[in-house]
Amino acid sequence: GLMLSRYDRVACPGGPVCLSGRVTALWESRGVEDQLRFLIRAHEVTQVILIGHSGCAYYRLHLGIPDARLLREQLVDLERAATAIRRGLV
Protein backbone atom coordinates (compact mmCIF):
# COMPACT_ATOMS: atom_id res chain seq x y z
CA GLY A 1 0.00 0.00 0.00
CA LEU A 2 2.99 2.36 0.22
CA MET A 3 3.57 2.23 -3.54
CA LEU A 4 7.30 1.63 -3.20
CA SER A 5 8.91 0.16 -6.28
CA ARG A 6 11.78 -1.45 -4.37
CA TYR A 7 12.26 -2.08 -0.67
CA ASP A 8 13.95 -4.20 1.97
CA ARG A 9 12.03 -5.34 5.01
CA VAL A 10 13.23 -5.93 8.54
CA ALA A 11 10.57 -7.18 10.92
CA CYS A 12 10.69 -8.09 14.59
CA PRO A 13 8.24 -8.38 17.47
CA GLY A 14 7.36 -4.94 18.77
CA GLY A 15 8.58 -3.26 15.59
CA PRO A 16 10.50 -0.03 16.24
CA VAL A 17 10.65 -0.63 20.01
CA CYS A 18 13.97 -2.40 19.46
CA LEU A 19 15.47 0.88 18.20
CA SER A 20 13.95 3.03 20.93
CA GLY A 21 16.58 2.46 23.59
CA ARG A 22 14.28 0.52 25.93
CA VAL A 23 16.42 -1.78 28.06
CA THR A 24 13.66 -4.42 27.99
CA ALA A 25 14.04 -4.63 24.19
CA LEU A 26 17.84 -4.75 24.23
CA TRP A 27 18.06 -8.38 23.14
CA GLU A 28 16.10 -7.73 19.94
CA SER A 29 17.91 -4.47 19.23
CA ARG A 30 21.30 -5.95 18.43
CA GLY A 31 20.15 -8.08 15.50
CA VAL A 32 17.88 -5.43 14.04
CA GLU A 33 20.54 -2.73 14.27
CA ASP A 34 23.04 -4.98 12.48
CA GLN A 35 20.52 -5.79 9.74
CA LEU A 36 19.62 -2.14 9.22
CA ARG A 37 23.25 -1.02 9.10
CA PHE A 38 23.97 -3.66 6.48
CA LEU A 39 20.96 -2.78 4.32
CA ILE A 40 21.54 0.96 4.58
CA ARG A 41 25.16 0.52 3.51
CA ALA A 42 24.74 -2.24 0.91
CA HIS A 43 21.64 -0.86 -0.79
CA GLU A 44 22.30 2.82 -0.13
CA VAL A 45 18.98 3.15 1.68
CA THR A 46 17.82 6.76 1.93
CA GLN A 47 14.39 6.22 3.48
CA VAL A 48 13.37 4.11 6.48
CA ILE A 49 9.70 3.60 7.28
CA LEU A 50 8.87 2.53 10.83
CA ILE A 51 5.57 0.74 11.37
CA GLY A 52 3.74 -0.19 14.54
CA HIS A 53 0.25 -1.60 14.94
CA SER A 54 -2.55 -1.34 17.45
CA GLY A 55 -2.90 -3.91 20.18
CA CYS A 56 0.72 -5.07 19.84
CA ALA A 57 1.20 -8.24 21.89
CA TYR A 58 4.90 -7.48 22.40
CA TYR A 59 4.00 -4.32 24.30
CA ARG A 60 1.23 -6.01 26.26
CA LEU A 61 2.88 -9.34 27.06
CA HIS A 62 6.64 -8.79 26.93
CA LEU A 63 6.79 -5.21 28.19
CA GLY A 64 3.71 -5.48 30.42
CA ILE A 65 2.18 -2.22 29.22
CA PRO A 66 -1.57 -1.93 29.90
CA ASP A 67 -3.89 -1.28 26.97
CA ALA A 68 -4.68 2.23 28.25
CA ARG A 69 -1.01 3.27 27.77
CA LEU A 70 -0.19 1.16 24.72
CA LEU A 71 -0.65 3.77 21.97
CA ARG A 72 1.17 6.48 23.91
CA GLU A 73 4.16 4.20 24.58
CA GLN A 74 4.28 3.08 20.95
CA LEU A 75 4.29 6.67 19.71
CA VAL A 76 7.13 7.57 22.08
CA ASP A 77 9.12 4.56 20.90
CA LEU A 78 8.47 5.35 17.23
CA GLU A 79 9.83 8.85 17.75
CA ARG A 80 12.88 7.56 19.64
CA ALA A 81 13.59 5.00 16.93
CA ALA A 82 13.25 7.64 14.21
CA THR A 83 15.64 9.92 16.10
CA ALA A 84 18.18 7.10 16.44
CA ILE A 85 18.04 6.43 12.70
CA ARG A 86 18.31 10.12 11.80
CA ARG A 87 21.34 10.52 14.06
CA GLY A 88 23.01 7.53 12.44
CA LEU A 89 22.94 5.47 15.63
CA VAL A 90 21.72 2.53 13.59
Side-chain angles (χ1 to χ4, degrees):
L2 295 175
M3 307 303 283
L4 301 171
S5 59
R6 181 174 169 258
Y7 63 92
D8 293 305
R9 183 182 82 159
V10 176
C12 67
V17 70
C18 64
L19 303 173
S20 71
R22 277 188 192 259
V23 174
T24 49
L26 185 62
W27 181 256
E28 291 84 356
S29 69
R30 179 66 185 168
V32 171
E33 289 172 0
D34 288 346
Q35 290 175 42
L36 281 175
R37 280 188 202 103
F38 171 78
L39 292 170
I40 288 169
R41 185 181 73 247
H43 294 163
E44 300 177 352
V45 171
T46 59
Q47 180 182 29
V48 175
I49 299 170
L50 301 171
I51 300 173
H53 67 89
S54 62
C56 181
Y58 186 90
Y59 278 83
R60 286 187 296 106
L61 302 175
H62 185 73
L63 300 179
I65 296 174
D67 289 339
R69 288 189 13 229
L70 199 68
L71 178 60
R72 179 178 30 183
E73 296 290 329
Q74 284 181 289
L75 291 173
V76 167
D77 288 344
L78 280 164
E79 184 56 42
R80 287 179 180 162
T83 298
I85 291 170
R86 278 196 229 57
R87 290 183 178 164
L89 301 177
V90 172

